Amino acid sequence: MSEATIAVKAQQVEEVANKFKEATSSVVVDVRGLTVDQSNSLRKSLREEGVELKVIKNKVLTRAAEAADLSDLNDLFAGPSAVAFSNEDAIAPARILKKYADEIDALEIKGGVIDGSIASVEDINKYAALPDRDGLLSMLLSTLQAPIRNVAYAVKAVSDAKAEEA
């Protein structure tokens, strides 16, 4: 192999290693057998959530995972592999890929990394079941408002009772 080729491959490994390090989550999938329309639809859905899907050679993935101290991922890099990287929402890749994997038999989730921890397919499926960020914030807000609402109802009930007495 020429020195130029080796330099290009080293650059690719470094870029992918940096993506693994910077991402809040990375999900490895097998995209063999997807039609062009299915692939385009998947990529569009991922892009809308700020997730990048890249098809990367296994040798590059293996070396990049080792450089990012994620060598436990190396078992996942068999056959054609694509990786969904998210720097914003840790759950978005899992949620979107799980939805598509349920609809399309050809798409197979292999595993990944979520918040720096190696995640199995079962873990990714559990994360995928969680609501999105807006849904979680809505649930939190509702929970925080409940005690205040209950106090307001109690004060109003006391006020109404006093008004009836007078």
Side-chain angles (χ1 to χ4, degrees), residues 18-159:
N18 286 337
K19 285 187 180 293
F20 274 124
K21 290 176 187 174
E22 294 169 0
T24 56
S25 69
S26 307
V27 179
V28 181
V29 293
D30 183 348
V31 292
R32 254 185 306 203
L34 262 68
T35 66
V36 173
D37 289 339
Q38 291 170 335
S39 179
N40 288 340
S41 174
L42 172 63
R43 287 176 185 272
K44 182 178 183 239
S45 296
L46 289 168
R47 250 192 328 271
E48 288 172 354
E49 294 288 330
V51 180
E52 178 184 15
L53 182 70
K54 291 188 104 17
V55 177
I56 305 169
K57 291 185 176 187
N58 290 335
K59 197 66 166 176
V60 172
L61 285 172
T62 302
R63 290 184 177 159
E66 289 171 359
D69 294 327
L70 298 169
S71 56
D72 292 341
L73 287 178
N74 289 345
D75 295 339
L76 304 178
F77 306 139
S81 298
V83 184
F85 296 101
S86 176
N87 294 338
E88 299 167 12
D89 185 358
I91 306 302
R95 188 180 62 252
I96 295 167
L97 290 169
K98 170 77 168 106
K99 177 184 154 209
Y100 275 85
D102 288 344
E103 295 172 2
I104 304 168
D105 292 335
L107 183 66
E108 176 191 351
I109 298 174
K110 296 180 177 182
V113 179
I114 297 179
D115 283 331
S117 300
I118 302 297
S120 67
V121 175
E122 294 79 24
D123 295 336
I124 290 171
N125 289 336
K126 286 178 189 174
Y127 283 116
L130 294 174
D132 64 353
R133 184 177 188 275
D134 292 337
L136 288 173
L137 289 174
S138 172
M139 291 167 62
L140 175 64
L141 184 60
S142 175
T143 303
L144 293 174
Q145 285 180 336
I148 296 168
R149 189 178 325 116
N150 291 341
V151 168
Y153 286 142
V155 168
K156 183 166 179 2
V158 169
S159 172

